[in-house]
Amino acid sequence: MIDKDSRHLVRFYEDAYFIAEIPEYPGSVMQNQVNSTLAPIIRHFGNFCRLFDSQKNQKVFLLPLDIFEADELKRLRKRLTTLKMEVGFAEDIEAIISQINDRARPKRQKRFKRVYFVDDRPLWYHFGLEQHARAENGIPPHAEHCWHTSCFRFGRRFDCQRHFNVDDDSNPTKVYGSFVTCHGDTFEASGQSHLNVFPNGFI
């Protein structure tokens, strides 16, 4: 919880934690103010936790926010950061998740059985089970928030050893393009067979 005038101090941590502003309270009874402030925040956070705990939903929540190109993901990010305390929270989140799930499909080549999320580039994202790497977060070149976003998403901790395998629908697969990484640097892909992309954008 943070005062509205201090919100700018946590702008790099909005994707990692469930940050809410302390609303103005017109009354004078402290107990009523605490209840009025905490109750809606806890309710919204509880609704988010319920949705996050679904493995299917979790793959959507963990998509790399600055790399996966889709308006639906931008809306999800905004709803879970600066607009999280607006009414209709759970219903809106469920609707956006459904829209992002509409992007899930297998590749055209029959030898690829798994289901991928496909962004607007288009690139194909599969949340892998392998745990052979971690997102780097040493300072420098990384910023302090890189560690936080490598372990937490909107207030929930996740397995920081898992990452998305990203490629295209060609055979053999090749990846080209510019990608904004965890602390704002740009990674240039020049035909790699695939990229290991962590939820916080580390490649």
Side-chain angles (χ1 to χ4, degrees):
M1 295 176 59
I2 195 164
D3 185 83
K4 181 178 180 180
D5 294 335
S6 301
R7 189 69 180 257
H8 64 283
L9 298 175
V10 295
R11 63 190 178 94
F12 291 116
Y13 301 90
E14 295 272 11
D15 296 333
Y17 301 114
F18 200 86
I19 299 170
E21 293 176 5
I22 302 171
E24 295 182 3
Y25 181 72
S28 57
V29 179
M30 179 62 70
Q31 183 177 350
N32 292 344
Q33 182 175 5
V34 171
N35 290 338
S36 175
T37 298
L38 289 180
I41 295 173
I42 292 173
R43 183 173 65 252
H44 284 214
F45 184 61
N47 282 328
F48 167 67
C49 291
R50 172 179 58 83
L51 294 169
F52 187 88
D53 288 343
S54 161
Q55 289 298 312
K56 185 177 180 181
N57 290 341
Q58 196 170 120
K59 295 175 184 178
V60 173
F61 286 124
L62 294 180
L63 284 166
L65 299 169
D66 289 319
I67 292 179
F68 189 93
E69 294 188 352
D71 288 340
E72 303 95 309
L73 189 62
K74 291 183 176 69
R75 290 200 303 274
L76 183 69
R77 183 185 205 173
K78 191 171 185 178
R79 196 64 171 93
L80 281 161
T81 54
T82 57
L83 298 181
K84 66 168 61 71
M85 296 311 299
E86 300 292 327
V87 296
F89 175 79
E91 296 82 358
D92 287 352
I93 297 301
E94 288 176 329
I96 299 171
I97 288 173
S98 178
Q99 293 168 3
I100 296 175
N101 277 326
D102 287 342
R103 290 175 168 269
R105 56 184 180 270
K107 291 188 175 184
R108 291 172 295 180
Q109 301 171 59
K110 292 183 179 179
R111 66 188 181 93
F112 293 106
K113 303 294 185 183
R114 61 182 51 157
V115 174
Y116 298 75
F117 289 103
V118 185
D119 73 359
D120 290 341
R121 290 182 190 255
L123 286 175
W124 300 64
Y125 295 70
H126 173 71
F127 197 41
L129 293 172
E130 67 270 24
Q131 297 182 321
H132 57 74
R134 286 178 179 267
E136 294 178 10
N137 50 56
I139 305 172
H142 294 272
E144 181 183 345
H145 67 266
C146 293
W147 177 84
H148 298 267
T149 57
S150 74
C151 299
F152 296 91
R153 177 59 55 92
F154 306 133
R156 292 301 300 273
R157 186 157 195 151
F158 61 87
D159 185 349
C160 60
Q161 289 186 275
R162 293 183 65 186
H163 59 266
F164 287 89
N165 297 305
V166 181
D167 55 29
D168 68 353
D169 195 21
S170 64
N171 185 19
T173 56
K174 292 185 178 180
V175 182
Y176 294 92
S178 299
F179 302 86
V180 178
T181 64
C182 50
H183 53 286
D185 281 356
T186 300
F187 177 87
E188 297 289 346
S190 55
Q192 291 91 326
S193 62
H194 71 284
L195 301 177
N196 293 333
V197 181
F198 288 82
N200 73 334
F202 174 75
I203 298 175

